[in-house]
Amino acid sequence: LGTSGPGSVLGEMALLDELPRSATVTAIDDVTALILPVWEFRAFLRSQPDVALKLLGVLSRRLRRAEARTSE
């Protein structure tokens, strides 16, 4: 589906809607990842609303790109 780089957010949809992940990730280089249980992720978003707003921006941009691809 695509490639991601440093600082990318992956797997957030499953943490937000409690549905199974919609994709699988395979690293092509060494990766350091932060894994958060859903309860910690949600507590963090409650305590850091600016992060939640940035995450909404990330999701919005992904949706726009996906919609643009389907309209081509």
Side-chain angles (χ1 to χ4, degrees):
L1 295 175
T3 58
S4 298
S8 295
V9 176
L10 304 166
E12 73 289 344
M13 288 173 46
L15 290 172
L16 293 169
D17 62 15
E18 297 185 35
L19 295 172
R21 293 184 319 272
S22 59
T24 299
V25 175
T26 303
I28 57 175
D29 291 313
D30 290 341
V31 172
T32 300
L34 174 64
I35 300 171
L36 291 173
V38 66
W39 62 89
E40 287 185 23
F41 178 72
R42 289 184 179 177
F44 175 74
L45 290 182
R46 283 187 202 96
S47 70
Q48 301 292 325
D50 287 346
V51 174
L53 292 173
K54 288 183 182 185
L55 183 56
L56 286 172
V58 168
L59 294 171
S60 178
R61 285 188 295 280
R62 287 183 188 172
L63 180 57
R64 287 180 190 271
R65 279 194 302 265
E67 288 175 340
R69 283 192 295 259
T70 58
S71 66
E72 293 174 354

Short mmCIF file of all heavy atoms in Angstrom, two decimals:
data_model
loop_
_atom_site.label_atom_id
_atom_site.label_comp_id
_atom_site.label_asym_id
_atom_site.label_seq_id
_atom_site.Cartn_x
_atom_site.Cartn_y
_atom_site.Cartn_z
N LEU A 1 0.81 -1.21 0.00
CA LEU A 1 0.00 0.00 0.00
C LEU A 1 0.84 1.26 0.00
O LEU A 1 0.41 2.26 -0.52
CB LEU A 1 -0.91 0.02 1.23
CG LEU A 1 -1.98 -1.06 1.32
CD1 LEU A 1 -2.71 -0.97 2.65
CD2 LEU A 1 -2.94 -0.98 0.17
N GLY A 2 2.02 1.20 0.63
CA GLY A 2 2.86 2.39 0.68
C GLY A 2 4.06 2.17 1.56
O GLY A 2 4.27 1.08 2.10
N THR A 3 4.84 3.22 1.69
CA THR A 3 6.00 3.17 2.57
C THR A 3 5.90 4.29 3.59
O THR A 3 5.27 5.31 3.34
CB THR A 3 7.32 3.31 1.78
OG1 THR A 3 7.29 4.54 1.06
CG2 THR A 3 7.51 2.15 0.83
N SER A 4 6.51 4.08 4.73
CA SER A 4 6.52 5.07 5.79
C SER A 4 7.95 5.30 6.23
O SER A 4 8.82 4.47 6.01
CB SER A 4 5.69 4.58 6.98
OG SER A 4 4.35 4.40 6.60
N GLY A 5 8.16 6.42 6.89
CA GLY A 5 9.51 6.74 7.33
C GLY A 5 9.55 7.06 8.81
O GLY A 5 8.58 6.80 9.54
N PRO A 6 10.64 7.65 9.25
CA PRO A 6 10.82 7.97 10.67
C PRO A 6 9.67 8.83 11.20
O PRO A 6 9.19 9.73 10.51
CB PRO A 6 12.13 8.76 10.70
CG PRO A 6 12.86 8.32 9.47
CD PRO A 6 11.79 8.04 8.44
N GLY A 7 9.19 8.48 12.39
CA GLY A 7 8.12 9.24 13.01
C GLY A 7 6.73 8.88 12.54
O GLY A 7 5.75 9.47 12.99
N SER A 8 6.62 7.91 11.65
CA SER A 8 5.31 7.53 11.13
C SER A 8 4.48 6.83 12.20
O SER A 8 5.01 6.18 13.10
CB SER A 8 5.47 6.58 9.94
OG SER A 8 6.08 7.23 8.87
N VAL A 9 3.18 6.97 12.07
CA VAL A 9 2.23 6.33 12.97
C VAL A 9 1.62 5.15 12.23
O VAL A 9 1.16 5.29 11.10
CB VAL A 9 1.12 7.32 13.38
CG1 VAL A 9 0.07 6.65 14.24
CG2 VAL A 9 1.71 8.52 14.08
N LEU A 10 1.64 3.99 12.87
CA LEU A 10 1.09 2.78 12.25
C LEU A 10 0.19 2.06 13.25
O LEU A 10 0.49 2.01 14.43
CB LEU A 10 2.22 1.84 11.83
CG LEU A 10 3.26 2.42 10.90
CD1 LEU A 10 4.47 1.51 10.83
CD2 LEU A 10 2.67 2.63 9.53
N GLY A 11 -0.90 1.52 12.78
CA GLY A 11 -1.77 0.72 13.63
C GLY A 11 -2.73 1.52 14.49
O GLY A 11 -3.43 0.95 15.32
N GLU A 12 -2.79 2.82 14.28
CA GLU A 12 -3.64 3.65 15.13
C GLU A 12 -5.12 3.40 14.92
O GLU A 12 -5.93 3.53 15.84
CB GLU A 12 -3.32 5.14 14.92
CG GLU A 12 -3.81 5.74 13.62
CD GLU A 12 -3.06 5.27 12.39
OE1 GLU A 12 -1.96 4.71 12.51
OE2 GLU A 12 -3.60 5.46 11.30
N MET A 13 -5.51 3.00 13.72
CA MET A 13 -6.94 2.76 13.46
C MET A 13 -7.48 1.66 14.38
O MET A 13 -8.57 1.80 14.94
CB MET A 13 -7.18 2.41 11.99
CG MET A 13 -7.00 3.60 11.07
SD MET A 13 -7.07 3.21 9.32
CE MET A 13 -8.48 2.16 9.18
N ALA A 14 -6.74 0.60 14.54
CA ALA A 14 -7.18 -0.50 15.40
C ALA A 14 -7.28 -0.06 16.86
O ALA A 14 -8.12 -0.55 17.60
CB ALA A 14 -6.23 -1.69 15.28
N LEU A 15 -6.44 0.89 17.27
CA LEU A 15 -6.52 1.40 18.64
C LEU A 15 -7.72 2.32 18.82
O LEU A 15 -8.27 2.43 19.92
CB LEU A 15 -5.24 2.16 19.00
CG LEU A 15 -3.99 1.32 19.17
CD1 LEU A 15 -2.77 2.22 19.31
CD2 LEU A 15 -4.12 0.39 20.35
N LEU A 16 -8.14 2.97 17.75
CA LEU A 16 -9.25 3.92 17.85
C LEU A 16 -10.61 3.25 17.72
O LEU A 16 -11.56 3.61 18.42
CB LEU A 16 -9.11 5.01 16.79
CG LEU A 16 -7.92 5.94 16.97
CD1 LEU A 16 -7.72 6.80 15.74
CD2 LEU A 16 -8.11 6.80 18.20
N ASP A 17 -10.73 2.27 16.83
CA ASP A 17 -12.06 1.69 16.59
C ASP A 17 -12.21 0.26 17.11
O ASP A 17 -13.27 -0.34 16.98
CB ASP A 17 -12.43 1.76 15.11
CG ASP A 17 -11.50 0.98 14.20
OD1 ASP A 17 -10.71 0.14 14.68
OD2 ASP A 17 -11.58 1.21 12.99
N GLU A 18 -11.16 -0.30 17.70
CA GLU A 18 -11.18 -1.64 18.29
C GLU A 18 -11.53 -2.74 17.28
O GLU A 18 -12.01 -3.80 17.65
CB GLU A 18 -12.13 -1.70 19.48
CG GLU A 18 -11.69 -0.80 20.62
CD GLU A 18 -12.54 -0.94 21.86
OE1 GLU A 18 -13.01 -2.05 22.14
OE2 GLU A 18 -12.74 0.07 22.54
N LEU A 19 -11.28 -2.49 16.01
CA LEU A 19 -11.45 -3.51 14.98
C LEU A 19 -10.09 -4.07 14.62
O LEU A 19 -9.06 -3.47 14.94
CB LEU A 19 -12.13 -2.90 13.75
CG LEU A 19 -13.56 -2.41 13.97
CD1 LEU A 19 -14.06 -1.66 12.74
CD2 LEU A 19 -14.49 -3.56 14.31
N PRO A 20 -10.05 -5.21 13.96
CA PRO A 20 -8.74 -5.78 13.57
C PRO A 20 -7.97 -4.81 12.67
O PRO A 20 -8.57 -3.98 11.97
CB PRO A 20 -9.13 -7.05 12.81
CG PRO A 20 -10.50 -7.37 13.27
CD PRO A 20 -11.16 -6.07 13.58
N ARG A 21 -6.66 -4.94 12.70
CA ARG A 21 -5.82 -4.11 11.83
C ARG A 21 -6.24 -4.29 10.38
O ARG A 21 -6.68 -5.37 9.98
CB ARG A 21 -4.35 -4.48 11.99
CG ARG A 21 -3.78 -4.14 13.34
CD ARG A 21 -2.29 -4.46 13.41
NE ARG A 21 -1.91 -5.70 12.76
CZ ARG A 21 -1.91 -6.89 13.36
NH1 ARG A 21 -2.27 -6.99 14.61
NH2 ARG A 21 -1.54 -7.96 12.71
N SER A 22 -6.10 -3.24 9.59
CA SER A 22 -6.52 -3.30 8.20
C SER A 22 -5.36 -3.61 7.26
O SER A 22 -5.56 -3.75 6.06
CB SER A 22 -7.17 -1.98 7.79
OG SER A 22 -6.26 -0.91 7.96
N ALA A 23 -4.15 -3.71 7.79
CA ALA A 23 -2.98 -3.98 6.95
C ALA A 23 -1.88 -4.62 7.79
O ALA A 23 -1.93 -4.61 9.01
CB ALA A 23 -2.46 -2.68 6.32
N THR A 24 -0.89 -5.16 7.11
CA THR A 24 0.28 -5.73 7.74
C THR A 24 1.49 -4.89 7.34
O THR A 24 1.55 -4.40 6.22
CB THR A 24 0.48 -7.18 7.27
OG1 THR A 24 -0.66 -7.94 7.66
CG2 THR A 24 1.72 -7.80 7.89
N VAL A 25 2.42 -4.72 8.24
CA VAL A 25 3.61 -3.92 7.99
C VAL A 25 4.82 -4.84 7.93
O VAL A 25 4.98 -5.73 8.76
CB VAL A 25 3.81 -2.87 9.10
CG1 VAL A 25 5.12 -2.12 8.90
CG2 VAL A 25 2.64 -1.93 9.16
N THR A 26 5.67 -4.63 6.93
CA THR A 26 6.93 -5.34 6.80
C THR A 26 8.04 -4.31 6.70
O THR A 26 8.00 -3.44 5.84
CB THR A 26 6.92 -6.24 5.54
OG1 THR A 26 5.83 -7.14 5.62
CG2 THR A 26 8.22 -7.01 5.43
N ALA A 27 9.03 -4.41 7.58
CA ALA A 27 10.14 -3.47 7.58
C ALA A 27 11.17 -3.87 6.53
O ALA A 27 11.49 -5.04 6.37
CB ALA A 27 10.80 -3.42 8.95
N ILE A 28 11.69 -2.86 5.82
CA ILE A 28 12.76 -3.11 4.85
C ILE A 28 14.12 -2.71 5.43
O ILE A 28 15.15 -3.03 4.86
CB ILE A 28 12.51 -2.39 3.51
CG1 ILE A 28 12.35 -0.89 3.70
CG2 ILE A 28 11.31 -2.99 2.82
CD1 ILE A 28 12.22 -0.11 2.40
N ASP A 29 14.12 -2.01 6.55
CA ASP A 29 15.32 -1.63 7.28
C ASP A 29 15.08 -1.90 8.77
O ASP A 29 13.97 -2.23 9.17
CB ASP A 29 15.63 -0.14 7.10
CG ASP A 29 16.07 0.20 5.68
OD1 ASP A 29 16.94 -0.53 5.15
OD2 ASP A 29 15.56 1.18 5.11
N ASP A 30 16.12 -1.71 9.58
CA ASP A 30 15.95 -1.84 11.02
C ASP A 30 14.94 -0.81 11.52
O ASP A 30 14.90 0.32 11.02
CB ASP A 30 17.27 -1.63 11.75
CG ASP A 30 18.26 -2.76 11.52
OD1 ASP A 30 17.81 -3.86 11.11
OD2 ASP A 30 19.46 -2.55 11.76
N VAL A 31 14.13 -1.21 12.49
CA VAL A 31 13.05 -0.35 13.00
C VAL A 31 13.07 -0.37 14.52
O VAL A 31 13.28 -1.42 15.13
CB VAL A 31 11.67 -0.86 12.50
CG1 VAL A 31 10.54 -0.10 13.16
CG2 VAL A 31 11.58 -0.77 11.00
N THR A 32 12.84 0.78 15.10
CA THR A 32 12.55 0.88 16.52
C THR A 32 11.10 1.32 16.62
O THR A 32 10.72 2.33 16.04
CB THR A 32 13.46 1.91 17.22
OG1 THR A 32 14.81 1.51 17.04
CG2 THR A 32 13.13 2.02 18.69
N ALA A 33 10.29 0.54 17.33
CA ALA A 33 8.86 0.83 17.41
C ALA A 33 8.41 0.93 18.85
O ALA A 33 8.94 0.27 19.73
CB ALA A 33 8.07 -0.27 16.70
N LEU A 34 7.43 1.79 19.07
CA LEU A 34 6.79 1.92 20.37
C LEU A 34 5.44 1.21 20.28
O LEU A 34 4.64 1.51 19.40
CB LEU A 34 6.58 3.40 20.71
CG LEU A 34 5.79 3.70 21.98
CD1 LEU A 34 6.55 3.20 23.21
CD2 LEU A 34 5.54 5.19 22.08
N ILE A 35 5.22 0.26 21.15
CA ILE A 35 3.97 -0.49 21.16
C ILE A 35 3.18 -0.08 22.39
O ILE A 35 3.69 -0.14 23.51
CB ILE A 35 4.23 -2.01 21.17
CG1 ILE A 35 5.02 -2.39 19.91
CG2 ILE A 35 2.93 -2.78 21.26
CD1 ILE A 35 5.53 -3.81 19.91
N LEU A 36 1.93 0.37 22.16
CA LEU A 36 1.09 0.82 23.26
C LEU A 36 -0.17 -0.02 23.35
O LEU A 36 -0.88 -0.18 22.37
CB LEU A 36 0.65 2.28 23.02
CG LEU A 36 1.71 3.36 23.12
CD1 LEU A 36 1.13 4.70 22.69
CD2 LEU A 36 2.23 3.45 24.53
N PRO A 37 -0.49 -0.51 24.53
CA PRO A 37 -1.80 -1.15 24.71
C PRO A 37 -2.90 -0.10 24.54
O PRO A 37 -2.69 1.09 24.81
CB PRO A 37 -1.76 -1.67 26.15
CG PRO A 37 -0.32 -1.68 26.53
CD PRO A 37 0.33 -0.60 25.73
N VAL A 38 -4.07 -0.53 24.12
CA VAL A 38 -5.16 0.40 23.82
C VAL A 38 -5.47 1.30 25.01
O VAL A 38 -5.70 2.49 24.84
CB VAL A 38 -6.41 -0.35 23.31
CG1 VAL A 38 -7.01 -1.23 24.39
CG2 VAL A 38 -7.43 0.63 22.75
N TRP A 39 -5.50 0.78 26.23
CA TRP A 39 -5.84 1.61 27.39
C TRP A 39 -4.79 2.69 27.63
O TRP A 39 -5.13 3.79 28.01
CB TRP A 39 -6.08 0.74 28.63
CG TRP A 39 -4.88 -0.04 29.07
CD1 TRP A 39 -3.90 0.35 29.92
CD2 TRP A 39 -4.52 -1.36 28.65
NE1 TRP A 39 -2.94 -0.62 30.06
CE2 TRP A 39 -3.30 -1.70 29.29
CE3 TRP A 39 -5.09 -2.29 27.80
CZ2 TRP A 39 -2.66 -2.92 29.10
CZ3 TRP A 39 -4.45 -3.51 27.62
CH2 TRP A 39 -3.26 -3.80 28.26
N GLU A 40 -3.53 2.38 27.39
CA GLU A 40 -2.49 3.41 27.56
C GLU A 40 -2.57 4.45 26.46
O GLU A 40 -2.38 5.64 26.70
CB GLU A 40 -1.10 2.76 27.57
CG GLU A 40 -0.81 1.99 28.84
CD GLU A 40 0.61 1.45 28.88
OE1 GLU A 40 1.49 1.98 28.19
OE2 GLU A 40 0.82 0.47 29.63
N PHE A 41 -2.84 4.01 25.24
CA PHE A 41 -2.98 4.92 24.11
C PHE A 41 -4.11 5.91 24.36
O PHE A 41 -3.95 7.12 24.20
CB PHE A 41 -3.24 4.11 22.84
CG PHE A 41 -3.45 4.93 21.60
CD1 PHE A 41 -2.39 5.60 21.01
CD2 PHE A 41 -4.70 5.01 21.02
CE1 PHE A 41 -2.58 6.34 19.85
CE2 PHE A 41 -4.90 5.74 19.87
CZ PHE A 41 -3.83 6.41 19.28
N ARG A 42 -5.25 5.41 24.79
CA ARG A 42 -6.41 6.28 25.03
C ARG A 42 -6.17 7.22 26.21
O ARG A 42 -6.55 8.40 26.16
CB ARG A 42 -7.66 5.46 25.23
CG ARG A 42 -8.08 4.82 23.93
CD ARG A 42 -9.35 4.07 24.06
NE ARG A 42 -9.71 3.50 22.77
CZ ARG A 42 -10.74 2.75 22.57
NH1 ARG A 42 -11.54 2.45 23.58
NH2 ARG A 42 -11.00 2.27 21.37
N ALA A 43 -5.55 6.74 27.26
CA ALA A 43 -5.22 7.61 28.40
C ALA A 43 -4.26 8.71 27.96
O ALA A 43 -4.41 9.88 28.36
CB ALA A 43 -4.62 6.80 29.54
N PHE A 44 -3.29 8.35 27.12
CA PHE A 44 -2.35 9.34 26.60
C PHE A 44 -3.07 10.39 25.78
O PHE A 44 -2.84 11.60 25.95
CB PHE A 44 -1.27 8.65 25.77
CG PHE A 44 -0.33 9.60 25.11
CD1 PHE A 44 0.64 10.26 25.85
CD2 PHE A 44 -0.42 9.85 23.75
CE1 PHE A 44 1.51 11.17 25.23
CE2 PHE A 44 0.44 10.74 23.13
CZ PHE A 44 1.41 11.40 23.88
N LEU A 45 -3.99 9.99 24.90
CA LEU A 45 -4.73 10.96 24.09
C LEU A 45 -5.58 11.88 24.96
O LEU A 45 -5.70 13.07 24.66
CB LEU A 45 -5.62 10.24 23.07
CG LEU A 45 -4.90 9.54 21.92
CD1 LEU A 45 -5.91 8.93 20.96
CD2 LEU A 45 -3.96 10.47 21.17
N ARG A 46 -6.16 11.33 26.03
CA ARG A 46 -6.96 12.17 26.93
C ARG A 46 -6.08 13.22 27.62
O ARG A 46 -6.51 14.35 27.85
CB ARG A 46 -7.67 11.31 27.98
CG ARG A 46 -8.88 10.61 27.45
CD ARG A 46 -9.64 9.91 28.59
NE ARG A 46 -10.46 8.85 28.04
CZ ARG A 46 -10.12 7.57 27.97
NH1 ARG A 46 -8.97 7.16 28.44
NH2 ARG A 46 -10.93 6.69 27.43
N SER A 47 -4.87 12.83 27.96
CA SER A 47 -3.99 13.75 28.68
C SER A 47 -3.23 14.70 27.74
O SER A 47 -2.71 15.71 28.19
CB SER A 47 -2.99 12.98 29.54
OG SER A 47 -2.05 12.30 28.72
N GLN A 48 -3.19 14.36 26.46
CA GLN A 48 -2.47 15.17 25.47
C GLN A 48 -3.38 15.43 24.26
O GLN A 48 -3.17 14.87 23.17
CB GLN A 48 -1.20 14.44 25.01
CG GLN A 48 -0.23 14.12 26.11
CD GLN A 48 0.40 15.36 26.69
OE1 GLN A 48 0.65 16.33 25.98
NE2 GLN A 48 0.65 15.35 27.98
N PRO A 49 -4.39 16.28 24.41
CA PRO A 49 -5.34 16.49 23.31
C PRO A 49 -4.69 17.03 22.03
O PRO A 49 -5.20 16.78 20.93
CB PRO A 49 -6.36 17.47 23.87
CG PRO A 49 -5.79 17.99 25.14
CD PRO A 49 -4.75 17.03 25.59
N ASP A 50 -3.57 17.72 22.14
CA ASP A 50 -2.89 18.19 20.92
C ASP A 50 -2.42 17.02 20.06
O ASP A 50 -2.43 17.09 18.84
CB ASP A 50 -1.70 19.09 21.26
CG ASP A 50 -2.13 20.46 21.77
OD1 ASP A 50 -3.32 20.80 21.61
OD2 ASP A 50 -1.28 21.17 22.32
N VAL A 51 -2.00 15.94 20.70
CA VAL A 51 -1.58 14.75 19.96
C VAL A 51 -2.79 14.14 19.25
O VAL A 51 -2.70 13.72 18.10
CB VAL A 51 -0.90 13.72 20.89
CG1 VAL A 51 -0.61 12.42 20.14
CG2 VAL A 51 0.37 14.31 21.47
N ALA A 52 -3.93 14.12 19.92
CA ALA A 52 -5.15 13.60 19.30
C ALA A 52 -5.51 14.42 18.06
O ALA A 52 -5.88 13.86 17.02
CB ALA A 52 -6.30 13.61 20.30
N LEU A 53 -5.36 15.73 18.13
CA LEU A 53 -5.65 16.59 16.97
C LEU A 53 -4.67 16.32 15.83
O LEU A 53 -5.07 16.27 14.66
CB LEU A 53 -5.61 18.06 17.37
CG LEU A 53 -6.74 18.50 18.30
CD1 LEU A 53 -6.51 19.93 18.78
CD2 LEU A 53 -8.08 18.38 17.59
N LYS A 54 -3.41 16.12 16.14
CA LYS A 54 -2.44 15.80 15.10
C LYS A 54 -2.75 14.45 14.47
O LYS A 54 -2.62 14.27 13.25
CB LYS A 54 -1.02 15.83 15.66
CG LYS A 54 -0.54 17.22 15.94
CD LYS A 54 0.89 17.25 16.43
CE LYS A 54 1.28 18.67 16.73
NZ LYS A 54 2.67 18.80 17.11
N LEU A 55 -3.17 13.49 15.28
CA LEU A 55 -3.54 12.18 14.77
C LEU A 55 -4.74 12.29 13.83
O LEU A 55 -4.78 11.63 12.79
CB LEU A 55 -3.83 11.22 15.93
CG LEU A 55 -4.17 9.79 15.56
CD1 LEU A 55 -3.09 9.16 14.71
CD2 LEU A 55 -4.40 8.98 16.82
N LEU A 56 -5.70 13.13 14.16
CA LEU A 56 -6.84 13.36 13.27
C LEU A 56 -6.36 13.91 11.93
O LEU A 56 -6.87 13.53 10.87
CB LEU A 56 -7.84 14.31 13.91
CG LEU A 56 -8.68 13.74 15.03
CD1 LEU A 56 -9.50 14.84 15.70
CD2 LEU A 56 -9.59 12.65 14.50
N GLY A 57 -5.37 14.78 11.96
CA GLY A 57 -4.81 15.32 10.72
C GLY A 57 -4.16 14.23 9.88
O GLY A 57 -4.33 14.19 8.66
N VAL A 58 -3.42 13.33 10.53
CA VAL A 58 -2.79 12.21 9.82
C VAL A 58 -3.86 11.34 9.16
O VAL A 58 -3.76 10.99 7.98
CB VAL A 58 -1.93 11.36 10.79
CG1 VAL A 58 -1.52 10.04 10.16
CG2 VAL A 58 -0.72 12.14 11.25
N LEU A 59 -4.90 11.00 9.91
CA LEU A 59 -5.96 10.16 9.36
C LEU A 59 -6.69 10.86 8.22
O LEU A 59 -7.04 10.23 7.22
CB LEU A 59 -6.94 9.77 10.47
CG LEU A 59 -6.36 8.87 11.56
CD1 LEU A 59 -7.35 8.72 12.71
CD2 LEU A 59 -5.99 7.52 10.99
N SER A 60 -6.91 12.15 8.35
CA SER A 60 -7.58 12.91 7.30
C SER A 60 -6.77 12.92 6.01
O SER A 60 -7.30 12.72 4.92
CB SER A 60 -7.83 14.34 7.79
OG SER A 60 -8.44 15.10 6.78
N ARG A 61 -5.46 13.13 6.13
CA ARG A 61 -4.61 13.13 4.93
C ARG A 61 -4.60 11.76 4.27
O ARG A 61 -4.64 11.66 3.05
CB ARG A 61 -3.19 13.57 5.29
CG ARG A 61 -3.09 15.07 5.52
CD ARG A 61 -1.65 15.54 5.68
NE ARG A 61 -1.01 15.02 6.87
CZ ARG A 61 -1.19 15.53 8.10
NH1 ARG A 61 -1.99 16.55 8.28
NH2 ARG A 61 -0.54 15.01 9.13
N ARG A 62 -4.56 10.69 5.07
CA ARG A 62 -4.60 9.34 4.50
C ARG A 62 -5.90 9.10 3.75
O ARG A 62 -5.91 8.50 2.68
CB ARG A 62 -4.42 8.29 5.59
CG ARG A 62 -3.02 8.22 6.12
CD ARG A 62 -2.91 7.12 7.13
NE ARG A 62 -1.61 7.16 7.79
CZ ARG A 62 -1.29 6.41 8.82
NH1 ARG A 62 -2.17 5.56 9.32
NH2 ARG A 62 -0.10 6.49 9.36
N LEU A 63 -7.01 9.53 4.33
CA LEU A 63 -8.30 9.37 3.68
C LEU A 63 -8.35 10.14 2.37
O LEU A 63 -8.83 9.64 1.35
CB LEU A 63 -9.43 9.81 4.62
CG LEU A 63 -10.84 9.70 4.08
CD1 LEU A 63 -11.16 8.27 3.66
CD2 LEU A 63 -11.83 10.20 5.13
N ARG A 64 -7.86 11.36 2.36
CA ARG A 64 -7.84 12.16 1.13
C ARG A 64 -7.01 11.48 0.04
O ARG A 64 -7.40 11.45 -1.12
CB ARG A 64 -7.28 13.55 1.41
CG ARG A 64 -8.23 14.45 2.16
CD ARG A 64 -7.58 15.82 2.40
NE ARG A 64 -8.35 16.60 3.32
CZ ARG A 64 -9.36 17.41 2.97
NH1 ARG A 64 -9.69 17.51 1.70
NH2 ARG A 64 -9.98 18.12 3.87
N ARG A 65 -5.84 10.94 0.42
CA ARG A 65 -5.00 10.25 -0.57
C ARG A 65 -5.71 9.02 -1.11
O ARG A 65 -5.68 8.74 -2.31
CB ARG A 65 -3.66 9.86 0.05
CG ARG A 65 -2.66 10.99 0.10
CD ARG A 65 -1.25 10.49 0.38
NE ARG A 65 -1.15 9.74 1.63
CZ ARG A 65 -0.78 10.24 2.80
NH1 ARG A 65 -0.48 11.51 2.90
NH2 ARG A 65 -0.71 9.48 3.86
N ALA A 66 -6.36 8.27 -0.22
CA ALA A 66 -7.07 7.05 -0.66
C ALA A 66 -8.23 7.42 -1.60
O ALA A 66 -8.45 6.76 -2.62
CB ALA A 66 -7.60 6.30 0.55
N GLU A 67 -8.95 8.49 -1.27
CA GLU A 67 -10.04 8.92 -2.13
C GLU A 67 -9.52 9.39 -3.48
O GLU A 67 -10.14 9.14 -4.50
CB GLU A 67 -10.85 10.03 -1.45
CG GLU A 67 -11.69 9.55 -0.30
CD GLU A 67 -12.38 10.67 0.43
OE1 GLU A 67 -11.95 11.84 0.32
OE2 GLU A 67 -13.37 10.38 1.12
N ALA A 68 -8.39 10.09 -3.48
CA ALA A 68 -7.81 10.56 -4.74
C ALA A 68 -7.40 9.39 -5.63
O ALA A 68 -7.56 9.43 -6.85
CB ALA A 68 -6.61 11.48 -4.45
N ARG A 69 -6.86 8.33 -5.02
CA ARG A 69 -6.45 7.14 -5.80
C ARG A 69 -7.65 6.45 -6.42
O ARG A 69 -7.57 5.94 -7.52
CB ARG A 69 -5.67 6.17 -4.92
CG ARG A 69 -4.23 6.59 -4.68
CD ARG A 69 -3.42 5.47 -4.06
NE ARG A 69 -3.90 5.12 -2.73
CZ ARG A 69 -3.32 5.51 -1.60
NH1 ARG A 69 -2.24 6.24 -1.63
NH2 ARG A 69 -3.82 5.15 -0.43
N THR A 70 -8.76 6.40 -5.70
CA THR A 70 -9.94 5.70 -6.23
C THR A 70 -10.65 6.51 -7.30
O THR A 70 -11.38 5.95 -8.11
CB THR A 70 -10.94 5.32 -5.12
OG1 THR A 70 -11.34 6.52 -4.43
CG2 THR A 70 -10.32 4.34 -4.15
N SER A 71 -10.43 7.83 -7.33
CA SER A 71 -11.09 8.65 -8.34
C SER A 71 -10.26 8.78 -9.62
O SER A 71 -10.70 9.36 -10.58
CB SER A 71 -11.41 10.04 -7.78
OG SER A 71 -10.21 10.74 -7.50
N GLU A 72 -9.05 8.23 -9.62
CA GLU A 72 -8.18 8.32 -10.82
C GLU A 72 -8.61 7.36 -11.88
O GLU A 72 -9.13 6.33 -11.72
CB GLU A 72 -6.72 8.05 -10.43
CG GLU A 72 -6.16 9.12 -9.54
CD GLU A 72 -4.75 8.78 -9.05
OE1 GLU A 72 -4.23 7.67 -9.29
OE2 GLU A 72 -4.16 9.65 -8.42
#
